[in-house]
Amino acid sequence: MTNSDTAVHISADQSYLTVVKDKQEMRFHANWLRDNALDSKTRSTENGQKLVSILTLPETSLIENASVDNEDGLVVQFFNNQASYQFSVSWLKQNQYDIASKRNPGWINKSCTLWDQTLGSSIPSGDYPSFAADDRSLYHWLSQIEELGFSLLEDIPRDPDGLLTVTKLFGFARETNYGKCFDVRSEINPTNLAYTGLGLQAHTDNPYRDPVPTMQILACMENDTEGGESIVVDGFKAAITLKDESRHHFKLLSQYPARFSYRGTDGVNLQSKRPMIELGVDGEIIAVRFNNRSAAPFVDIPFDQMQEFYQAYRHLASIIEREENEVRFRLQPGQLFIVDNTRVLHSRTAFSSTGSRWLRGCYPDKDGLISTLTVLREKHEQPRII
């Protein structure tokens, strides 16, 4: 059945249908359509959660009839079920799974834009006071973080808990052994090398946790020392570069787990076992973990692969430290930067013992940020097609 813009065809065995919209074909199985019906008996109208179990649905659904009832409406009726189920064609397009070609391991979600030093003066940023006036400003700032994995924020509240005030705009801070907030400045007896004036290699934070903190905020309270410049590196770009330069090295770092550990204070012994480049089951790069300071002995690589694993490890480290991949900036009091800790590595140059450099940090969880961004996207734009 068709209208001027949309057509639908049922397969000969009636196990699936094909929707044609703007010359694009999308196939959907009957079982999938019945499971994802949007009627009030299948899903709660209040929260969208399913009201039926997969076991209460027919083991095999077949389509008796399907028709287009308006420009964006599709009505489907199944055998042995007199009810009709209506779907939005645009909703089907957002949720289509009829992918023509298989993706190779090491692909990046289309919401991400890779970057390097050429980002230059176009460092993403936002202005905290503007969030109160218009949530479009917050939407734009969160969108930058989703796309690039980091952003600066200007004119934040200057009190010690100002970064928590910012965090509450989109989510919640995770409490760890460092507390809900932690201070990054020189200490006489540091429990972490971050609490010294030493320069730090580009790294992701806390790879010894499972799950790892997914976001990190560092707010500048004081900074009048010499040095102490902040540096960020796109870990996804580094992983893609590694794959382009050596598929074998990429496979080693994504196939075998590394180990990380931390014992900084009494009662703390954190350990994890995860690959440096983590892939989803469909091959998507979903996380990078790299922290030389916290690396524990690697014991999960076969003997005959260990030498090559170390070559791959050094290769990735060399890519991360290439100047062409670094974006540098100097934080000033009243500024913060936020990074996606599953993607973006951060570091700093050494700073002098004269003056004061005081950053205050916390670990928000990314699910809160993505949830807030999705709500704002639905309010201001069309939903993103994954």
Side-chain angles (χ1 to χ4, degrees):
M1 305 291 290
T2 68
N3 70 7
S4 58
D5 298 310
T6 307
V8 59
H9 309 285
I10 302 173
S11 66
D13 64 1
Q14 298 180 295
S15 67
Y16 70 90
L17 57 75
T18 301
V19 179
V20 183
K21 176 72 173 178
D22 299 327
K23 299 182 179 180
Q24 178 185 359
E25 293 188 357
M26 302 174 289
R27 293 174 297 178
F28 300 92
H29 289 94
N31 284 352
W32 185 94
L33 289 166
R34 181 61 192 92
D35 183 40
N36 289 285
L38 303 175
D39 65 294
S40 60
K41 293 183 178 180
T42 303
R43 284 186 182 272
S44 167
T45 57
E46 296 177 351
N47 55 44
Q49 292 186 312
K50 287 185 180 179
L51 301 173
V52 297
S53 161
I54 186 64
L55 295 178
T56 64
L57 300 177
E59 182 176 356
T60 301
S61 292
L62 295 175
I63 300 169
E64 183 173 9
N65 185 46
S67 61
V68 179
D69 69 345
N70 56 56
E71 185 175 345
D72 193 49
L74 178 68
V75 178
V76 180
Q77 187 167 7
F78 300 94
F79 278 102
N80 303 319
N81 190 330
Q82 297 303 311
S84 296
Y85 299 89
Q86 187 162 8
F87 298 86
S88 159
V89 175
S90 58
W91 182 90
L92 289 172
K93 186 175 181 179
Q94 292 163 27
N95 292 279
Q96 64 176 303
Y97 57 91
D98 190 8
I99 301 173
S101 59
K102 187 178 185 300
R103 290 162 165 159
N104 293 318
W107 59 276
I108 300 291
N109 192 291
K110 65 174 66 176
S111 66
C112 298
T113 297
L114 303 182
W115 50 267
D116 54 25
Q117 190 182 57
T118 58
L119 198 62
S121 59
S122 301
I123 293 176
S125 64
D127 176 70
Y128 175 76
S130 68
F131 295 168
D134 183 4
D135 63 9
R136 284 182 180 273
S137 298
L138 177 61
Y139 169 51
H140 177 68
W141 187 62
L142 297 178
S143 296
Q144 292 180 129
I145 299 168
E146 179 191 44
E147 178 185 357
L148 301 174
F150 85 105
S151 185
L152 301 179
L153 187 62
E154 310 281 347
D155 297 326
I156 65 170
R158 296 291 287 274
D159 61 278
D161 288 334
L163 73 171
L164 294 179
T165 302
V166 173
T167 298
K168 288 178 182 177
L169 292 171
F170 61 82
F172 307 92
R174 183 193 303 188
E175 188 163 2
T176 70
N177 58 294
Y178 301 118
K180 184 162 283 190
C181 293
F182 53 89
D183 296 299
V184 182
R185 53 185 170 188
S186 294
E187 296 179 353
I188 296 175
N189 295 306
T191 58
N192 192 302
L193 288 178
Y195 305 152
T196 70
L198 297 174
L200 299 177
Q201 184 185 36
H203 62 282
T204 57
D205 253 38
N206 292 200
Y208 39 75
R209 296 187 193 281
D210 194 1
V212 71
T214 47
M215 306 294 301
Q216 181 177 16
I217 288 178
L218 287 170
C220 183
M221 309 301 291
E222 299 172 359
N223 193 6
D224 58 4
T225 64
E226 291 185 13
E229 192 175 24
S230 297
I231 303 169
V232 289
V233 176
D234 187 348
F236 283 4
K237 172 71 181 297
I240 292 295
T241 301
L242 178 70
K243 186 182 72 167
D244 291 343
E245 294 181 358
S246 174
R247 287 188 175 272
H248 182 57
H249 285 175
F250 178 87
K251 183 178 180 180
L252 286 170
L253 295 189
S254 58
Q255 178 180 4
Y256 293 115
R259 297 219 178 201
F260 302 93
S261 65
Y262 173 73
R263 302 183 67 168
T265 57
D266 291 340
V268 175
N269 188 349
L270 295 163
Q271 302 178 40
S272 73
K273 171 187 171 184
R274 292 285 181 171
M276 293 186 195
I277 300 172
E278 185 174 359
L279 305 182
V281 293
D282 57 357
E284 178 187 1
I285 298 178
I286 58 175
V288 171
R289 288 176 178 81
F290 188 90
N291 191 319
N292 185 71
R293 289 176 290 134
S294 301
F298 304 143
V299 296
D300 303 285
I301 297 93
F303 181 86
D304 59 359
Q305 296 285 320
M306 186 64 80
Q307 292 281 56
E308 290 183 321
F309 183 88
Y310 265 90
Q311 291 173 6
Y313 181 21
R314 290 178 63 89
H315 191 172
L316 178 61
S318 70
I319 292 171
I320 289 170
E321 294 204 8
R322 291 175 188 172
E323 186 176 350
E324 67 201 53
N325 289 326
E326 297 179 347
V327 170
R328 294 178 174 238
F329 51 90
R330 181 179 174 84
L331 283 178
Q332 300 296 335
Q335 291 182 317
L336 65 73
F337 78 97
I338 181 171
V339 297
D340 179 341
N341 192 51
T342 67
R343 171 183 175 182
V344 175
L345 299 90
H346 64 282
S347 64
R348 68 163 188 241
T349 59
F351 58 91
S352 66
S353 59
T354 58
S356 175
R357 185 182 189 271
W358 173 23
L359 304 185
R360 192 156 168 79
C362 70
Y363 295 120
D365 283 319
K366 188 163 63 173
D367 58 354
L369 186 150
I370 296 300
S371 173
T372 301
L373 175 59
T374 302
V375 170
L376 292 173
R377 178 178 283 120
E378 291 172 347
K379 178 179 179 180
H380 296 297
E381 304 287 348
Q382 292 297 319
R384 174 168 62 85
I385 299 174
I386 299 175

